[in-house]
Amino acid sequence: MSEQQRNPESGDTPSYGYAGWAPPLPAGPPAAPVVEGTVVSHGAAPHRYVEDHSGGAFQDGAFGSDRAAEGGAFTGGAFDGPPPPPVLPAAAAAPAGGHARRGFLRGRLALVTAVAAVAAVLGGVAGGALAVGERGGSTTASSTIASPVSARSDGSADVAAIASAVSPSVVQITVKTNSGTATGTGVVLTTGGQILTNYHVVSGAASGGTVTVTFKDGSTAGATLTGTDKALDVAVITASGAENLTPATLGDSGQVQVGDSVVAIGNPEGLTGTVTSGIISAENRQVTVQVDEGSTSGNGGFGFPTLPGQRGSNGNSNSTAGDTATYKAFQTDAALNPGNSGGPLINTAGQVIGVNSAMYSAGGSSSTADSSSAGSVGLGFAIPVNDIKKVLPELQAGHNV
């Protein structure tokens, strides 16, 4: 090869004699050998490939140029530039690892998206649970209190719905003693027959009286005293052989406000399943009632309270301090009469928020079913259920407190 064909600056690198020349790109994957006589395409015009066996050079008949087998120079004919770089198929253009990396990235993205979705769902559930706890206003930290019914759209009580839902949890209690018969009401606490009532309703049972419970369906069962709190005027009895009863839902009396709608269910004067309604007229009304059997038996087993500022005595003047109970009660204008004692005072959600325990009568202790002055005058009283809850576990366990 002549010196004119070498680069005068390096003396080693061949020069192809035109401006802008760049070294050829690395060769692509080895191609299958071309058989002599095969028609191939070079540029725009097809030509026949001819191998020169004499000098080891290749001759391009269409372009009139040949390439030295060892020197890499081209001689003869016009040359428009080095051959174009090989064009790889689309699938081969990207390294094989590109597919794997893209798949890996897609997998990572899917995993992150899934984790974010699960976190959002759990957060919503936790937020929803927290919101329910705050709205419920329960005095316990465990859960919100179940609501057997719903209030009307204007917030008033749906009396029919409440009566239907709660009446199966209300029973009539009859106590027979040597002094007579007392009638009251009770609230079912358990499916197995535990029933909440006033102490003064069943006080005769402590001195040998017999207790009979009449259920919503008319069936009856004997009952015994389980636990009592004379000072609060509450007691728990257990009906013998009872099963599958419908327990009432005890609400949260701490959420009650003056003006709230309420419903009372009881057995006034032996008229079983009587439903009345009204509102909470006042809160924290201090009342004192007789709870001894000798006093209550004369008025149908109902407590007549002594109220602050009242003229004279509204109870038995012969009763001692041990025969009375004093507590702060809800005042309601829902009609209460002898026989309502021990029955539920119910809020618009169908929850028991108090136990009806006393009513004011203008006739004092002489008020009986036969007296013209007996009956409701819109001044009924109920023991708040939150006060009862404080001692209820002890009573259900069979203790007297």
Side-chain angles (χ1 to χ4, degrees), residues 22 31 78 256 283 326 381 398-399:
V256 175
E283 298 179 90
T326 300
F381 302 93
H399 301 147

Side-chain angles (χ1 to χ4, degrees), residues 326-342:
T326 300
Y327 47 83
K328 291 185 177 181
F330 288 129
Q331 178 181 323
T332 179
D333 66 352
L336 300 179
N337 293 282
N340 274 111
S341 283

Side-chain angles (χ1 to χ4, degrees), residues 244-285:
N244 299 323
L245 300 182
T246 303
T249 299
L250 302 185
D252 180 5
S253 58
Q255 299 297 311
V256 175
Q257 297 181 347
V258 173
D260 284 353
S261 297
V262 289
V263 172
I265 302 178
N267 306 287
E269 310 295 355
L271 301 174
T272 60
T274 298
V275 178
T276 59
S277 63
I279 63 168
I280 295 294
S281 305
E283 298 179 90
N284 299 316
R285 191 72 81 190

Side-chain angles (χ1 to χ4, degrees), residues 2-345:
S2 63
E3 290 295 326
Q4 289 83 358
Q5 292 175 315
R6 297 185 181 274
N7 189 320
E9 295 180 359
S10 64
D12 297 322
T13 305
S15 173
Y16 291 99
Y18 63 93
W21 174 85
L25 296 175
V34 181
V35 181
E36 182 177 3
T38 301
V39 177
V40 297
S41 176
H42 187 112
H47 62 280
R48 185 177 300 279
Y49 191 90
V50 180
E51 183 177 2
D52 185 355
H53 297 278
S54 60
F58 296 90
Q59 182 179 10
D60 189 332
F63 290 91
S65 61
D66 55 14
R67 179 174 60 191
E70 296 181 359
F74 290 84
T75 60
F79 186 74
D80 295 330
V87 178
L88 298 178
H99 292 289
R101 181 169 180 79
R102 285 194 298 272
F104 175 76
L105 291 177
R106 283 195 297 270
R108 290 283 298 272
L109 180 60
L111 177 60
V112 171
T113 302
V115 171
V118 171
V121 171
L122 293 178
V125 171
L130 178 60
V132 169
E134 292 174 346
R135 289 194 300 270
S138 173
T139 57
T140 61
S142 57
S143 63
T144 55
I145 301 172
S147 298
V149 298
S150 298
R152 297 185 184 276
S153 58
D154 61 357
S156 62
D158 187 340
V159 178
I162 292 172
S164 176
V166 185
S167 288
S169 304
V170 180
V171 301
Q172 177 176 299
I173 299 174
T174 304
V175 181
K176 291 184 178 181
T177 68
N178 293 331
S179 301
T181 300
T183 302
T185 306
V187 179
V188 175
L189 295 174
T190 67
T191 59
Q194 286 195 333
I195 297 167
L196 174 67
T197 188
N198 283 135
Y199 173 79
H200 75 253
V201 171
V202 294
S203 60
S207 57
T210 59
V211 181
T212 302
V213 175
T214 303
F215 299 101
K216 170 70 174 177
D217 62 1
S219 62
T220 62
T224 56
L225 278 176
T226 302
T228 64
D229 185 349
K230 189 175 182 180
L232 189 60
D233 192 19
V234 291
V236 170
I237 62 174
T238 301
S240 302
E243 58 183 14
N244 299 323
L245 300 182
T246 303
T249 299
L250 302 185
D252 180 5
S253 58
Q255 299 297 311
V256 175
Q257 297 181 347
V258 173
D260 284 353
S261 297
V262 289
V263 172
I265 302 178
N267 306 287
E269 310 295 355
L271 301 174
T272 60
T274 298
V275 178
T276 59
S277 63
I279 63 168
I280 295 294
S281 305
E283 298 179 90
N284 299 316
R285 191 72 81 190
Q286 182 171 310
V287 298
T288 300
V289 295
Q290 277 93 28
V291 295
D292 62 288
E293 187 269 337
S295 298
T296 59
S297 63
N299 53 38
F302 203 69
F304 291 98
T306 300
L307 304 177
Q310 180 180 341
R311 296 189 302 273
S313 173
N314 195 34
N316 189 337
S317 60
N318 296 323
S319 64
T320 64
D323 299 317
T324 63
T326 300
Y327 47 83
K328 291 185 177 181
F330 288 129
Q331 178 181 323
T332 179
D333 66 352
L336 300 179
N337 293 282
N340 274 111
S341 283
L345 189 66

